[in-house]
Amino acid sequence: MHRITGVITAFFIFFHIISTSAPARSGWEAWLEEVANLDGITPISILFYIAMGAVLFHGLNGVRLLLVEALALGIGRPEKPKPPYIAPSLRGFQRRLIHIVFALWIILWIALGYVLFLT
């Protein structure tokens, strides 16, 4: 999921840079104009909503990965693999972190949809 949302985020950034770097429209004014034109439910606003969901998940999961990889939170001691193999990193603290990331992502994505489509 992290890789997929990373690819979606990269495509969004690429096309966003291309769309706002046109000679007639550039900079902050172009971005404000683009966001102001997202009134109602249009194909562009749906794509924007999907891209923002990907950015949210990618960012939240990135924070989780930083906690795990940089601070070694929830990794634990190495174990000898025994069938059926369940990675120790996916038990306990790691599993709670993954659930927290998904819960925050759903809550924030729903809030973004409310702001984007219903206000």
Short mmCIF file of all heavy atoms in Angstrom, two decimals, residues 2 5 7-9 22 33-34 36 46 48 53 56 62-63 80 102 104 118:
data_model
loop_
_atom_site.label_atom_id
_atom_site.label_comp_id
_atom_site.label_asym_id
_atom_site.label_seq_id
_atom_site.Cartn_x
_atom_site.Cartn_y
_atom_site.Cartn_z
N HIS A 2 1.99 1.19 0.74
CA HIS A 2 2.87 2.36 0.81
C HIS A 2 3.50 2.65 -0.55
O HIS A 2 3.59 3.81 -0.96
CB HIS A 2 3.96 2.11 1.87
CG HIS A 2 4.77 3.32 2.21
ND1 HIS A 2 4.26 4.35 2.96
CD2 HIS A 2 6.03 3.67 1.90
CE1 HIS A 2 5.19 5.28 3.10
NE2 HIS A 2 6.27 4.88 2.46
N THR A 5 0.71 4.09 -2.97
CA THR A 5 0.40 5.49 -2.69
C THR A 5 1.59 6.39 -3.02
O THR A 5 1.40 7.56 -3.38
CB THR A 5 -0.02 5.69 -1.22
OG1 THR A 5 1.02 5.21 -0.35
CG2 THR A 5 -1.32 4.97 -0.93
N VAL A 7 3.58 5.93 -5.63
CA VAL A 7 3.50 6.12 -7.09
C VAL A 7 2.39 7.12 -7.43
O VAL A 7 2.57 8.02 -8.26
CB VAL A 7 3.26 4.76 -7.79
CG1 VAL A 7 2.91 4.96 -9.25
CG2 VAL A 7 4.48 3.88 -7.64
N ILE A 8 1.22 6.99 -6.77
CA ILE A 8 0.12 7.93 -7.02
C ILE A 8 0.55 9.34 -6.64
O ILE A 8 0.28 10.30 -7.39
CB ILE A 8 -1.14 7.51 -6.23
CG1 ILE A 8 -1.71 6.21 -6.80
CG2 ILE A 8 -2.20 8.61 -6.26
CD1 ILE A 8 -2.81 5.60 -5.95
N THR A 9 1.23 9.49 -5.53
CA THR A 9 1.70 10.81 -5.09
C THR A 9 2.71 11.38 -6.09
O THR A 9 2.65 12.57 -6.42
CB THR A 9 2.33 10.71 -3.69
OG1 THR A 9 1.37 10.20 -2.79
CG2 THR A 9 2.83 12.06 -3.21
N ALA A 22 2.51 26.28 -16.65
CA ALA A 22 2.21 26.85 -17.96
C ALA A 22 2.61 28.32 -17.96
O ALA A 22 2.47 29.00 -16.95
CB ALA A 22 0.73 26.68 -18.28
N GLU A 33 -6.22 29.46 -8.11
CA GLU A 33 -7.26 29.37 -9.15
C GLU A 33 -7.68 27.92 -9.36
O GLU A 33 -8.86 27.62 -9.49
CB GLU A 33 -6.73 29.95 -10.45
CG GLU A 33 -7.72 29.90 -11.59
CD GLU A 33 -7.09 30.41 -12.88
OE1 GLU A 33 -6.20 31.28 -12.81
OE2 GLU A 33 -7.47 29.91 -13.95
N GLU A 34 -6.71 27.01 -9.36
CA GLU A 34 -7.00 25.59 -9.56
C GLU A 34 -7.84 25.04 -8.40
O GLU A 34 -8.81 24.31 -8.62
CB GLU A 34 -5.69 24.81 -9.66
CG GLU A 34 -5.85 23.39 -10.08
CD GLU A 34 -4.50 22.73 -10.30
OE1 GLU A 34 -3.59 23.39 -10.84
OE2 GLU A 34 -4.37 21.56 -9.93
N ALA A 36 -9.76 26.80 -6.39
CA ALA A 36 -11.06 27.49 -6.40
C ALA A 36 -12.00 26.88 -7.42
O ALA A 36 -13.22 26.93 -7.26
CB ALA A 36 -10.86 28.97 -6.68
N ILE A 46 -12.67 14.40 -8.08
CA ILE A 46 -12.58 13.01 -7.61
C ILE A 46 -11.13 12.53 -7.69
O ILE A 46 -10.62 11.89 -6.77
CB ILE A 46 -13.52 12.10 -8.43
CG1 ILE A 46 -14.97 12.45 -8.09
CG2 ILE A 46 -13.24 10.63 -8.15
CD1 ILE A 46 -15.99 11.78 -8.96
N PHE A 48 -8.52 14.47 -7.56
CA PHE A 48 -7.84 15.21 -6.50
C PHE A 48 -8.07 14.54 -5.16
O PHE A 48 -7.14 14.40 -4.35
CB PHE A 48 -8.35 16.66 -6.49
CG PHE A 48 -7.68 17.54 -5.49
CD1 PHE A 48 -6.40 18.01 -5.70
CD2 PHE A 48 -8.34 17.91 -4.33
CE1 PHE A 48 -5.77 18.83 -4.78
CE2 PHE A 48 -7.73 18.73 -3.40
CZ PHE A 48 -6.44 19.18 -3.63
N GLY A 53 -5.98 11.34 -0.72
CA GLY A 53 -6.05 10.14 0.12
C GLY A 53 -4.73 9.39 0.08
O GLY A 53 -4.25 8.90 1.11
N LEU A 56 -2.19 11.37 2.12
CA LEU A 56 -2.43 11.18 3.55
C LEU A 56 -1.91 9.83 4.03
O LEU A 56 -1.20 9.75 5.04
CB LEU A 56 -3.93 11.28 3.85
CG LEU A 56 -4.53 12.66 3.97
CD1 LEU A 56 -6.05 12.56 4.08
CD2 LEU A 56 -3.96 13.37 5.17
N GLY A 62 4.49 6.68 6.43
CA GLY A 62 5.90 7.08 6.48
C GLY A 62 6.34 7.42 7.89
O GLY A 62 7.45 7.07 8.30
N VAL A 63 5.47 8.07 8.65
CA VAL A 63 5.79 8.37 10.05
C VAL A 63 5.91 7.06 10.83
O VAL A 63 6.83 6.88 11.64
CB VAL A 63 4.72 9.29 10.68
CG1 VAL A 63 4.90 9.40 12.18
CG2 VAL A 63 4.76 10.66 10.03
N LYS A 80 13.65 -17.60 16.23
CA LYS A 80 13.84 -18.68 15.27
C LYS A 80 12.49 -18.95 14.60
O LYS A 80 11.47 -19.11 15.27
CB LYS A 80 14.31 -19.93 15.99
CG LYS A 80 14.63 -21.06 15.07
CD LYS A 80 15.18 -22.24 15.84
CE LYS A 80 15.46 -23.37 14.87
NZ LYS A 80 15.98 -24.54 15.58
N PHE A 102 -4.22 3.22 9.76
CA PHE A 102 -5.42 3.06 8.95
C PHE A 102 -6.60 3.85 9.52
O PHE A 102 -7.35 4.48 8.76
CB PHE A 102 -5.80 1.58 8.80
CG PHE A 102 -5.13 0.92 7.64
CD1 PHE A 102 -4.06 0.06 7.83
CD2 PHE A 102 -5.55 1.16 6.35
CE1 PHE A 102 -3.43 -0.55 6.76
CE2 PHE A 102 -4.94 0.57 5.27
CZ PHE A 102 -3.87 -0.30 5.47
N LEU A 104 -6.52 6.61 11.45
CA LEU A 104 -6.28 8.05 11.21
C LEU A 104 -6.49 8.39 9.74
O LEU A 104 -7.06 9.44 9.41
CB LEU A 104 -4.87 8.44 11.63
CG LEU A 104 -4.63 8.66 13.10
CD1 LEU A 104 -3.15 8.88 13.37
CD2 LEU A 104 -5.44 9.84 13.60
N LEU A 118 -18.72 18.80 0.33
CA LEU A 118 -19.95 19.22 0.99
C LEU A 118 -19.92 20.64 1.56
O LEU A 118 -20.93 21.10 2.08
CB LEU A 118 -20.33 18.24 2.10
CG LEU A 118 -20.55 16.79 1.63
CD1 LEU A 118 -20.81 15.90 2.82
CD2 LEU A 118 -21.67 16.72 0.64
#
